[in-house]
Amino acid sequence: MSTNDCLFCKIIAGEIPSKKLYEDDEMLAFYDINPMAPLHFLIIPKKHIENLMELDVSDSGLIGKLFYKAQELAKEQGCEQKGGRFVINTKTDGGQTVDHLHIHFLGGRALGWPPG
């Protein structure tokens, strides 16, 4: 997929609006438009990486930063005590619907297992 066709690359470029939660030079966090929990946000790298299976060893630091910021934002949004779920859907069988690596955070209620 070309980055020109990527929904999340268009959000990063400001071509598609989002309700931003956080942004810096390497990442963007925004609320999911179809939330599955009272708190549901996504955190994405600004670098286009299609999915978790496409990581290069040079992306290791970026992935660590994404997870660190995701937990920091979850705490700021009131989930420090009860927690939540961090999810990376990967490729078709994993339920990935946008071909740009992203972490979902879901919190604000008890989440069942298995997810479905």
Side-chain angles (χ1 to χ4, degrees):
M1 167 181 283
S2 159
T3 58
N4 294 334
D5 299 326
C6 175
L7 174 68
F8 288 170
C9 287
K10 289 178 180 181
I11 290 172
I12 291 165
E15 296 171 22
I16 296 174
S18 67
K19 188 176 175 190
K20 291 181 186 178
L21 180 59
Y22 176 81
E23 183 174 18
D24 67 19
D25 291 342
E26 295 181 295
M27 66 189 81
L28 173 66
F30 54 94
Y31 293 99
D32 195 292
I33 61 168
N34 185 26
M36 297 291 136
L39 177 61
H40 185 175
F41 67 83
L42 306 177
I43 188 161
I44 64 175
K46 288 188 172 179
K47 175 184 178 183
H48 182 83
I49 302 168
E50 286 203 11
N51 60 63
L52 198 59
M53 301 293 197
E54 305 299 323
L55 288 179
D56 184 78
V57 69
S58 65
D59 298 319
S60 300
L62 176 59
I63 296 305
K65 289 176 186 178
L66 288 170
F67 272 108
Y68 183 81
K69 182 51 74 174
Q71 64 86 27
E72 192 174 63
L73 293 170
K75 289 176 182 178
E76 289 174 5
Q77 297 294 306
C79 292
E80 185 168 10
Q81 293 300 314
K82 292 190 174 187
R85 184 170 294 158
F86 299 85
V87 178
I88 299 178
N89 298 322
T90 304
K91 296 193 173 193
T92 306
D93 280 358
Q96 185 175 3
T97 58
V98 178
D99 290 329
H100 186 119
L101 178 68
H102 55 286
I103 300 169
H104 291 260
F105 178 80
L106 298 100
R109 69 170 173 85
L111 301 165
W113 192 263

